[in-house]
Amino acid sequence: MFDQQTIEMLLVGVWDTLYMTVAATFFSYVFGMVMGVTLVVCRKDGIRPNAFVYSVLDVVVNLTRSFPFLILMIAVIPFTRFLVGTTIGNNATVVPLVLAAAPFVARLVESSLLEVDNGVVEAAQSMGGSIWQIIVKVLLPEARPSLINGSAVSAITILGYSAMSGAVGGGGLGKLAIMYGYNRYQTDIMIITVVLLIIIVQAFQSFGNWATRRSDKRGS
Amino acid sequence: MADGPIISIEGLEKRFSGKNSEVFALRGIDLAIGRGDIFGIIGKSGAGKSTLVRCINMLERPTGGSVFFEGRNLCRLPEAALREARRSMGMIFQQFNLLMQRTALQNVCFPLELTGAPKEESRKRAEELLEMVGLANRMDAYPSQLSGGQKQRVAIARALATRPRVLLCDEATSALDPATTDSILALIKDINAQLGITAVVITHEMSVIEKICSHVAIISKGVIVEQGLVEDVFFHPQTEAARRLVLPDALRKLPQAHLYRLIFNGRSSFEPVIANMVLECGCPVNIMYADTRDINGVAFGQMVLQLPEREESRARIMAYAKAHSIMLEEMKHV
Ligand SMILES: Nc1ncnc2c1ncn2[C@@H]1O[C@H](COP(=O)(O)OP(=O)(O)OP(=O)(O)O)[C@@H](O)[C@H]1O
Ligand SMILES: [Mg+2]
């Protein structure tokens, strides 16, 4: 159906998409996790309330989240160039992806941690647990299933952003879809890239569901 | 220090300030809890029981007064020293508050992990404790696989892991059925007797106090209205709040005139006492209510009688009671 070259191009597209998604998800979690934990710890009824830190972080997260991704991507071009030396290609795309996704991840982590029963946190405090111990030994492990589920949601969202980035210099399946489907009217290639995206999304979601279920010890 | 109270609370106050309102959850609380006591604190919902027990280990920061634990003022301790002190006070909760993603054994290891104890040692101690609470065969079960009573046993084992000298129990049996409640109370009593651990038992049920407590304090609207030995409070309730706890609610609907309360210890029984009294005094009495209670292992009976309208007959009955050392006292307002 397709020649060797097209197939190769599609495979490279899949690889680029996976690369950007996985790398951006990883780095989004590095920053998003810290922000999410900080939000939970510093909120009014948190374990170390701090109205100043909370509201600053809250505003930053909301601001970043209300930027449309494409605009953000273009707006941070100088920053991207400073960081990776170029503004096209996979690594360059990871930068705006992380900037856009980290606040999203922060909110997901925040809501996962808020699901942890406050009584369990109090029990740990009554045993003389420090803030750090409570974060590492209570909040994160107790929220583990929900965090895993959230990471699948994040990866899928980031995948969507990465496809969008194809419009302004990003690579991967998004670029192929736009280049062939939109610019050259090669509907067959566009359809196949969309199908590939759907398959990847499905795979992430199924894996996420499976891992969530497996890690949850709360029964049924 | 060894003879003084293990916990003493002086002028404790807790005020919750909202935007435009202030709630005094606790006011002027003075309590001394002796080493080895099982100290009950009873009161209605919203009376401030949880706030009080949470002030003892500073989960709630008092807004006034002091809490001394083994002679040290916890309100003044720096954070690290306070965490250290908390390890000497185990706490259990109505909702158990176990870590849901850890097995029973891992839950009991948890407080030891916090102290940085060696893994192997912690594990051994946790196994011993789970054996002691009767869960030797459920060590690898997750909380979701355990019954309420079993979960509370795990919580008790966990609270004892760091060898505390006090066990704080906030409504520890309120989520359990009567039979399970009794078994958990028996376990707390055992721990108190065998390990010499002082227990502070928060409850809204008089039966819990009667079954295991040596001392009781009654809290109402954030104030301690009465405290003392359980027997004393039971036999001679001084306040409205105490009377209400000792007697059932149903009595409040009875006619209020000429009601008297009669108390026996387990050695006598109701019928001959009443029968003889009626025969000797030549006037009938109306039995409104009777029950027996188990206070610290001794059965006590109480009965509410309505005595005749005639002043003279009542005086005769009172004289009879006095002569036979029967505890009979008029109930003013139930
Ligand atoms: N964080 C809080 N902010 C404001 N008010 C509070 C707070 N915690 C408790 N209170 C108030 O303090 C009072 C005492 O509450 P507390 O929880 O100690 O009662 P309790 O005796 O334990 O009741 P229950 O039997 O229902 O558990 C209540 O009036 C409650 O509304
Ligand atoms: Mg309470």
Side-chain angles (χ1 to χ4, degrees), chain B residues 49-51 94 170-171 202:
Chain B
K49 307 180 294 291
S50 296
T51 309
Q94 177 171 3
D170 188 4
E171 303 264 12
I202 304 290

Side-chain angles (χ1 to χ4, degrees), chain A residues 15-37:
Chain A
W15 165 254
D16 286 349
T17 292
L18 286 176
Y19 175 88
M20 286 186 292
T21 305
V22 171
T25 305
F26 175 80
F27 287 108
S28 301
Y29 264 85
V30 171
F31 299 110
M33 195 80 115
V34 173
M35 291 193 280
V37 168

Side-chain angles (χ1 to χ4, degrees), chain A residues 98-149:
Chain A
V98 171
L99 282 176
F104 174 74
V105 169
R107 284 287 180 231
L108 280 182
V109 169
E110 181 189 23
S111 80
S112 294
L113 297 186
L114 287 178
E115 284 169 28
V116 175
D117 183 1
N118 202 36
V120 182
V121 174
E122 284 201 335
Q125 282 176 316
S126 80
M127 294 169 210
S130 65
I131 292 180
W132 179 246
Q133 284 176 322
I134 289 173
I135 293 170
V136 175
K137 288 182 176 289
V138 180
L139 287 177
L140 293 175
E142 287 293 294
R144 187 180 53 219
S146 172
L147 288 171
I148 293 176
N149 194 41

Side-chain angles (χ1 to χ4, degrees), chain A residues 119 122 133 137 142 217, chain B residues 54 97 100-101 113-114 144:
Chain A
E122 284 201 335
Q133 284 176 322
K137 288 182 176 289
E142 287 293 294
K217 309 300 184 191
Chain B
R54 291 157 51 81
N97 294 347
M100 299 303 284
Q101 306 292 347
E113 252 173 74
L114 296 182
S144 60

